[in-house]
Amino acid sequence: MPRTIRTLTASEVEALVDWAAGEGWNPGIGDAAAFRTADPDGFIGAFVDGEMVAGISALAYGPGFGFIGLYICRPDRRGEGHGKAVWDAGMTRLGNRIIGLDGVAEQRANYQRMGFVPAYETVRYIGRPAGLPGVATHGQ
């Protein structure tokens, strides 16, 4: 199963964003297009038999700072090393920059093994507004 690592096209980046949304992540509307403008080569994918199996954003913001995000592998291809391959490609691309990342809590231990440390805690809430004037709460 030969794997190819390469820069993603715009439509492949959108597919990666869709994968993230399917995992319950909340990628910002229009963020990927803005990030591609800032760093057109900053989205990397792993491909097997022409199909994308994993991806990552590794955006360079000048020579001193980079940012990792959208690190995801297709669920049916997890455990085969594709995620690690795009991670390594992204980190190589960013080189000696200071690197930040936005990650899911479930992967914190993995990020820490790669040398990252938490800078702050993110608290996420989910729910429906109730009892607010002018807000319809259907189905309740």
Side-chain angles (χ1 to χ4, degrees):
M1 128 180 82
R3 175 177 43 229
T4 303
I5 305 288
R6 65 168 173 77
T7 302
L8 299 179
T9 66
S11 63
E12 291 164 343
V13 170
E14 290 306 317
L16 198 62
V17 170
D18 289 345
W19 289 2
E23 293 281 334
W25 303 356
N26 58 346
I29 297 170
D31 283 358
F35 294 146
R36 281 192 83 240
T37 299
D39 185 358
D41 298 325
F43 291 86
I44 301 166
F47 293 80
V48 175
D49 294 329
E51 291 186 23
M52 185 167 60
V53 295
I56 196 167
S57 62
L59 303 170
Y61 296 100
F65 182 71
F67 200 87
I68 293 285
L70 277 180
Y71 175 45
I72 190 167
C73 184
R74 240 175 48 193
D76 64 317
R77 301 307 299 258
R78 291 178 182 164
E80 298 175 4
H82 306 302
K84 179 73 166 81
V86 293
W87 175 273
D88 291 345
M91 295 300 288
T92 297
R93 181 173 192 280
L94 294 177
N96 291 324
R97 292 173 175 85
I98 295 170
I99 302 171
L101 72 82
D102 180 23
V104 296
E106 296 83 13
Q107 293 295 320
R108 179 177 281 186
N110 287 334
Y111 303 137
Q112 288 176 324
R113 276 194 294 278
M114 300 298 191
F116 288 84
V117 295
Y120 57 86
E121 293 293 323
T122 299
V123 178
R124 295 182 187 244
Y125 296 93
I126 189 168
R128 295 166 156 257
L132 298 174
V135 176
T137 53
H138 302 287
Q140 291 187 2

